[in-house]
Amino acid sequence: MKVLSAAAAFLLASTVSAQTLKSAAASKGKYVGTITDPAYINGSDRTYNTIALNEFNYVSAENSMKWDAIEPSNGGFSWNNADTVVNWAQQNNMKIRGHTLVWHSQLPSWVANGSWSKSTLTTVIQNHVRTVMTRYKGKIAQWDVVNEIFDESGGARSSVFSRVFGGLDEFVTIAFNAARAADPSAILCINDYNLDYSGGKATGMVNLVKRLKANGVPIDCIGSQAHLMVGQVSSSFSSTLSSLCSAAGKCAITELDIRAKTPISSSGLSQQQTDYTTAVRACVNLSNCLGVTVWGITDSRSWIPQVFSGEGAALPWDGSYNKKPAYSGIIAGFGGSSGTTQQQTTTRQQTSTTRQQTTTTNGNTGGNCSARWGQCGGQGWSGPTCCSQGTCTFSNGRRQTFASIVVEMTF
Ligand code: XIL
């Protein structure tokens, strides 16, 4: 009897250790993706590459397929970096999310600052979409055809595209029609952030997609970026994802990371594990959610610290490539074993105490305003309610400063 138990324990241990993110995802019929770029593929950091290959089965180019990288001058295409990503993925049997065709950010100035009529900008969009998608026809499974087109209330974000066309419908239609024509087999997505809870932005997305689909525009999927914050994953995350999925027919979590104030505490790590499970499980529970892409591997290469001052630690591996509790959180989200329920309960209580303390420290009673580019408001926000510069506007239930931050960082 004793021998049998030891054997069983050994078997269990080997099963658990053999599990990877991609095997856990596949067991639920989902994919799990990460990001890469030539610097990761060919650079000296081999660990990034090894983990990408061992743990993930889908990949997005972090920057190489953005408009400024791929068509830096009008009709002048620069393929090397995007080709490197596509070839690497194909050689390693990874599927690809193409990111992204039409976006106001990382947009070359010849597009952003051109003086366009509807007709000339239509030609520019069609040429960009057709040329990029045709080159990778049959090689890229999903495309983010348009990215971040909404403002926080669900209206049109101001961009060269929305200004020239006087709203969203026309240029989104042009982009999606060009995309379908270029590669009829690719899944075509509309992608955005702050779709993590019910509210104006998610409603705006649902309404636009339903309206355009009713008019025959070939939108297949809504991508929810899911740049989340530890301890603040909304109770409506799952139902909101479900409504996105229903509106488009398919959905995906496209850029998941869950950031914290750094250094992250041990209770923060534990809460982050729970939050990763919540986010991943929301996709697993929807038959038409395609999969989950995590926006990176290691905290040392995450975009978060450069953009959100004082925040980071958002990914499943720490800066030295040790697996964090978040890793088990993702496995658990995909229905694998996590086995730390008791510990999570205890640390959740600790986290809530810590959060109360933070509120007292950061509260606005002493006139302690959010820094320029800092966050001021958002889902579950308990920090300052005043902002030190015009770029930061307090709005409860919204995260206001994200777009401005990305713009500043990329110029
Ligand atoms: C980020 C990249 O990770 C950074 O390397 C780059 O400097 C800026 O863009 N939403 C998106 C992604 O759609 O393309 C962004 O990626 C993160 C926010």
Side-chain angles (χ1 to χ4, degrees), residues 89-409:
Q90 289 212 301
Q91 280 154 16
N92 292 295
N93 296 318
M94 291 173 95
K95 288 195 169 186
I96 306 169
R97 292 197 84 256
H99 176 78
T100 176
L101 293 162
V102 177
W103 187 26
H104 69 278
S105 187
Q106 293 178 271
L107 185 66
S109 70
W110 72 266
V111 184
N113 302 322
S115 46
W116 308 109
S117 64
K118 279 191 184 185
S119 155
T120 53
L121 192 54
T122 298
T123 305
V124 162
I125 293 171
Q126 287 174 332
N127 188 49
H128 181 75
V129 171
R130 183 181 55 245
T131 309
V132 175
M133 285 191 65
T134 301
R135 183 173 185 89
Y136 301 120
K137 187 175 177 178
K139 297 181 176 176
I140 294 194
Q142 295 178 39
W143 271 103
D144 288 331
V145 177
V146 300
N147 193 32
E148 299 184 355
I149 61 169
F150 291 100
D151 67 18
E152 292 306 306
S153 62
R157 171 198 290 282
S158 175
S159 72
V160 64
F161 307 110
S162 66
R163 285 192 298 275
V164 170
F165 288 98
L168 300 177
D169 291 32
E170 213 171 328
F171 83 80
V172 173
T173 299
I174 290 162
F176 274 89
N177 282 336
R180 180 66 97 227
D183 187 352
S185 64
I187 296 172
L188 305 180
C189 304
I190 177 168
N191 197 47
D192 219 315
Y193 64 92
N194 278 357
L195 304 176
D196 316 310
Y197 44 89
S198 57
K201 195 168 188 179
T203 304
M205 171 67 93
V206 164
N207 290 344
L208 178 97
V209 168
K210 284 184 174 166
R211 184 168 71 242
L212 294 189
K213 279 178 77 76
N215 289 333
V217 180
I219 300 173
D220 301 317
C221 112
I222 296 176
S224 175
Q225 292 183 5
H227 295 293
L228 305 175
M229 286 175 277
V230 167
Q232 298 185 20
V233 178
S234 167
S235 54
S236 64
F237 184 88
S238 168
S239 58
T240 306
L241 188 65
S242 172
S243 64
L244 301 174
C245 246
S246 305
K250 295 186 179 72
C251 64
I253 294 178
T254 54
E255 303 184 14
L256 179 61
D257 51 24
I258 311 184
R259 65 185 188 274
K261 296 259 177 254
T262 48
I264 190 168
S265 63
S266 63
S267 62
L269 287 169
S270 184
Q271 180 64 45
Q272 186 179 51
Q273 172 178 6
T274 305
D275 293 340
Y276 263 103
T277 302
T278 303
V280 170
R281 189 172 285 154
C283 178
V284 168
N285 286 342
L286 294 168
S287 60
N288 50 352
C289 180
L290 300 166
V292 178
T293 297
V294 184
W295 203 247
I297 289 175
T298 163
D299 289 337
S300 63
R301 294 185 176 278
S302 162
W303 72 301
I304 294 289
Q306 284 103 52
V307 175
F308 298 93
S309 174
E311 295 181 77
L315 292 170
W317 279 264
D318 71 14
S320 309
Y321 288 109
N322 300 304
K323 281 179 190 167
K324 291 159 62 183
Y327 177 91
S328 312
I330 299 175
I331 297 267
F334 284 124
S337 156
S338 77
T340 51
T341 317
Q342 183 57 49
Q343 190 203 340
Q344 279 171 16
T345 310
T346 318
T347 48
R348 245 199 311 273
Q349 281 159 2
Q350 285 165 357
T351 306
S352 119
T353 313
T354 313
R355 237 182 282 135
Q356 275 164 12
Q357 283 162 359
T358 311
T359 309
T360 315
T361 316
N362 287 347
N364 194 28
T365 46
N368 185 11
C369 289
S370 230
R372 185 171 187 238
W373 307 117
Q375 186 188 347
C376 194
Q379 184 74 30
W381 178 252
S382 57
T385 53
C386 69
C387 313
S388 55
Q389 294 275 347
T391 49
C392 167
T393 314
F394 174 72
S395 173
N396 205 12
R398 303 264 187 278
R399 180 154 52 94
Q400 286 287 318
T401 57
F402 186 87
S404 314
I405 291 162
V406 172
V407 170
E408 182 179 64
M409 182 189 57

